[in-house]
Amino acid sequence: MTETPAKHEVGTPADALAQTQAPTGAISDFGIDTTSMSPGEAVRDYFARLRAGELGALPSLFGLLVLVILFSALSDNFFTLANIANVFPQGAGVIIIAMGIVFVLLLGEIDLAAGVASGVAASVMALHYVQNGNLLGNMGTGVFITFIGVLALAMLLSAYQRIWAGAALSLVGLLLVAIGVPANAWLEILLAICVGTAIGCITGFLVSKIGMPSFVVTLALFIVWQGVLLQFIGEGGTIGISNSDVLYKIANGNLNILGSWIFFLLAAGGFAVITLTSHFKRLQRGLVVQPTALVMVKVGALVVLSAIGTWLLTINRSPNKAVVTIEGVPYVIPIMLVLLVAGTYVLNRTRYGRYVYAVGGNKEAARRAGIDVPKIRASVFVIGSAIAAIGGIVAASKVGSVSPQSGGLNTLLFAVGSAVIGGTSLFGGKGRVSDAVVGGLVIAVVINGLGLLKQPAAVVNIITGLVLLLAATVDALSRRRAAASAR
């Protein structure tokens, strides 16, 4: 008997998805589609899944609560409105970079160059702004032509892999640089994202088409992009962007009171409407759904907590209220929320997201199902680097400048740590974009709290490393528990 060709063993991508290990973050609720449960049964089922090792972000949420209680007890300044509101802008850059890294980790890959890539993107943004679009005059002919060539190469490599969004953004970046468009804050933001995307196109090609291990590729590119940063800025140099009202306020500005409440209505109200509409539509069609009482409790709790948070942030939190007014939701919160919603939608509600989980869960089964595995592998690096560029913009805005250390030092370590601490597995196939937010808040609280206690950088690194080690241990143990329960 002859062996059936591999391409006919599984008929459709959906068949491959059925063979792969179910990613907790994406399809943990699929069991509800086959079994009706009362609220009590749903709660018991949840605890049963916890005992089976499906912990999700629960350990990081518990750890975050413990840290808040601990630092509140040790420092009188920690649990103040001004400090709590400042935690988000302080950790936003790392959290956003971590959101992009989640896509890479879902395939069991790693991007060691994401942090420095964010610095390169921010440096091009800053240079283009302060030079009024004349990068040629600042870089010199040789460096400028090389930079143009790299953008063109990224565009061609992305087009070759049929990652059209990457090719389009690389082309836009090339045109903005080559034409020398005059400085404009919004165009600078677009340029930074285009540069980050181009970096991801090159990284993805080397990993997916050449077949080099992502660890080796991104380690090499980490060194390369660090050199590019030094070339663009100069050793010991700094490029300030604080004179740009738009760029500086990204991480340092706040919505006004009216804008804060409008944001609350759009975010919390939109979530409530979409969730309840979807729930009752499924009920009308006779489909099995989560118990209505539980859905109402989830929606109600989120709306109430969001309303309380918005109200607190609209209170003047300035230390000198008679002279300066600081009130409103920080701009970085809507930015992070938009990225969170977009990333969650892509992973949970699109064919591409299902393919990412399929490749991360079982690459060979995904290939046999007809999924273009090399394209998926390349695309996650494109997404990761593009989102990292946004993180670089936010980080540069926070300090008001870009330097050769931008995106370096502990940026990458904290970004990867944020994703892992939040629940994303280093082994692939398990994780959500929200993991990066939760894990990033854990790290931000650790850094903020230890800073208020005037602890040295050595202590901050030791504590953060131990937290990451604990998260990796929990991930390994939960996977072992889940594997044992499946037998």
Side-chain angles (χ1 to χ4, degrees), residues 76-425:
D76 294 334
N77 296 323
F78 179 80
F79 206 67
T80 60
L81 184 58
N83 186 63
I84 295 299
N86 197 39
V87 168
F88 288 97
Q90 283 181 337
V94 168
I95 291 174
I96 291 173
I97 295 174
M99 289 183 185
I101 288 179
V102 166
F103 283 83
V104 179
L105 294 179
L106 283 173
L107 296 193
E109 307 284 359
I110 189 67
D111 189 353
L112 299 177
V116 183
S118 73
V120 171
S123 70
V124 174
M125 174 191 73
L127 274 174
H128 196 273
Y129 178 77
V130 301
Q131 297 297 326
N132 196 30
N134 182 21
L135 290 181
L136 174 60
N138 179 266
M139 293 180 176
T141 303
V143 175
F144 181 78
I145 292 177
T146 302
F147 183 49
I148 290 290
V150 170
L151 291 175
L153 175 64
M155 179 189 68
L156 294 175
L157 293 179
S158 189
Y160 172 71
Q161 297 173 97
R162 292 178 291 113
I163 304 175
W164 305 117
L169 285 173
S170 298
L171 175 60
V172 170
L174 188 154
L175 293 175
L176 289 174
V177 172
I179 295 173
V181 179
N184 177 282
W186 298 106
L187 286 180
E188 312 307 342
I189 293 172
L190 174 61
L191 176 59
I193 296 173
C194 291
V195 171
T197 302
I199 290 173
C201 293
I202 295 172
T203 306
F205 176 82
L206 293 174
V207 172
S208 66
K209 289 297 184 181
I210 303 300
M212 299 171 63
S214 59
F215 180 88
V216 175
V217 171
T218 56
L219 177 60
L221 290 179
F222 171 88
I223 300 172
V224 170
W225 303 135
Q226 187 69 67
V228 170
L229 260 175
L230 287 171
Q231 177 66 43
F232 285 172
I233 301 176
E235 190 170 351
T238 301
I239 305 174
I241 58 173
S242 57
N243 60 334
S244 170
D245 192 55
V246 173
L247 295 179
Y248 184 72
K249 284 188 174 180
I250 290 174
N252 299 288
N254 305 289
L255 297 170
N256 57 33
I257 294 179
L258 177 60
S260 298
W261 284 111
I262 291 176
F263 169 65
F264 161 74
L265 291 176
L266 291 175
F271 172 81
V273 169
I274 292 173
T275 301
L276 294 177
T277 300
S278 174
H279 175 78
F280 287 113
K281 278 185 176 180
R282 290 177 63 85
L283 278 179
Q284 291 176 356
R285 295 172 182 173
L287 300 175
V288 181
V289 294
Q290 286 185 331
T292 301
L294 288 182
V295 174
M296 297 295 289
V297 168
K298 290 180 181 178
V299 171
L302 185 139
V303 171
V304 170
L305 291 175
S306 299
I308 294 174
T310 303
W311 171 69
L312 291 174
L313 290 174
T314 55
I315 299 173
N316 185 6
R317 52 186 181 271
S318 171
N320 192 349
K321 295 180 173 57
V323 179
V324 180
T325 299
I326 304 177
E327 58 189 12
V329 175
Y331 286 132
V332 294
I333 293 181
I335 293 172
M336 289 192 295
L337 183 62
V338 169
L339 291 173
L340 173 61
V341 172
T344 301
Y345 178 81
V346 167
L347 287 177
N348 291 359
R349 300 294 182 182
T350 67
R351 179 184 299 176
Y352 172 79
R354 293 193 292 272
Y355 287 178
V356 169
Y357 280 112
V359 174
N362 191 322
K363 183 168 63 177
E364 179 60 22
R367 184 191 67 79
R368 291 172 178 244
I371 296 175
D372 190 344
V373 174
K375 180 179 178 180
I376 297 298
R377 293 182 69 201
S379 67
V380 296
F381 287 97
V382 176
I383 293 173
S385 293
I387 297 177
I390 299 175
I393 296 169
V394 172
S397 172
K398 182 60 183 174
V399 299
S401 64
V402 181
S403 72
Q405 286 73 44
S406 296
L409 302 177
N410 291 328
T411 301
L412 172 74
L413 301 179
F414 287 163
V416 175
S418 297
V420 176
I421 290 170
T424 299
S425 176

